[in-house]
Amino acid sequence: MPTPKTTETLTPREAKRMAILEAAAKIFNERGYHQTSMSDVATALNVTKPFLYYYLKDKEDILFQCSRIATEQLHAILDEVRAADVSGWERLGLVFRGYVKVMCNDFGVCLIRSTSPGLMQKESRDKLWTGRRRLNREVEMIIAQGIADGSIRSVDPKKLSFALFGA
């Protein structure tokens, strides 16, 4: 699955930050966001809370960053799919196979969690929604391409996209 940067290309600071995000995402998904404290994340990593605060602002920032990573993974999939020389139907399949992989990893589950009211400030939620809207628009374009190439029957791309994401 595509990731924004491979572990080998991360600076030492980025690698530490990523380790925090990976541990926190796993704990959020095991215990729940509200039941997880910064102390829990620090304990899991065998570090101090000030160490965490050096790399991230607070628990909400961790959830946002985990969700941002999932959004970047989804966008990387879109980039790969856009470059594929296949029909619209096959392209749609590629997108949703990638989508399922991302949404089933710890970062993807954080992205799902981040839509719950009250977990994030409006500004952070709006940034994530911008990324999700891009995904929706691109899927609608893929559907339209499939209609044009005959691999998808005539249908309203927006409604089909909505139905697929709601399934």
Side-chain angles (χ1 to χ4, degrees), residues 39-113:
S39 294
D40 295 330
V41 177
T43 299
L45 291 167
N46 200 25
V47 298
T48 63
K49 281 183 12 181
F51 177 89
L52 299 179
Y53 288 114
Y54 178 75
Y55 292 95
L56 295 143
K57 289 190 298 189
D58 54 25
K59 189 168 84 165
E60 180 184 320
D61 185 36
I62 292 174
L63 181 62
F64 173 78
Q65 296 302 327
C66 290
S67 301
R68 182 192 52 76
I69 289 169
T71 301
E72 288 176 2
Q73 291 173 340
L74 291 170
H75 290 176
I77 289 166
L78 289 173
D79 293 341
E80 288 178 8
V81 169
R82 199 178 307 108
D85 186 26
V86 296
S87 72
W89 176 251
E90 292 167 311
R91 197 178 301 265
L92 194 58
L94 291 171
V95 166
F96 277 93
R97 279 190 290 281
Y99 179 79
V100 168
K101 286 180 185 175
V102 171
M103 299 315 282
C104 289
N105 75 32
D106 285 331
F107 292 130
V109 176
C110 285
L111 181 58
I112 294 167
R113 285 184 188 284

Side-chain angles (χ1 to χ4, degrees), residues 33-34 60 63 113-122 125:
Y33 176 78
H34 290 295
E60 180 184 320
L63 181 62
R113 285 184 188 284
S114 68
T115 62
S116 297
L119 289 188
M120 267 187 216
Q121 297 294 319
K122 182 179 178 349
R125 264 194 338 271

Side-chain angles (χ1 to χ4, degrees), residues 20-33 35-45 106 110 113:
I20 293 168
L21 295 172
E22 288 170 348
K26 184 175 173 47
I27 297 168
F28 288 162
N29 297 330
E30 288 172 354
R31 298 184 189 172
Y33 176 78
Q35 287 72 39
T36 302
S37 67
M38 292 295 276
S39 294
D40 295 330
V41 177
T43 299
L45 291 167
D106 285 331
C110 285
R113 285 184 188 284

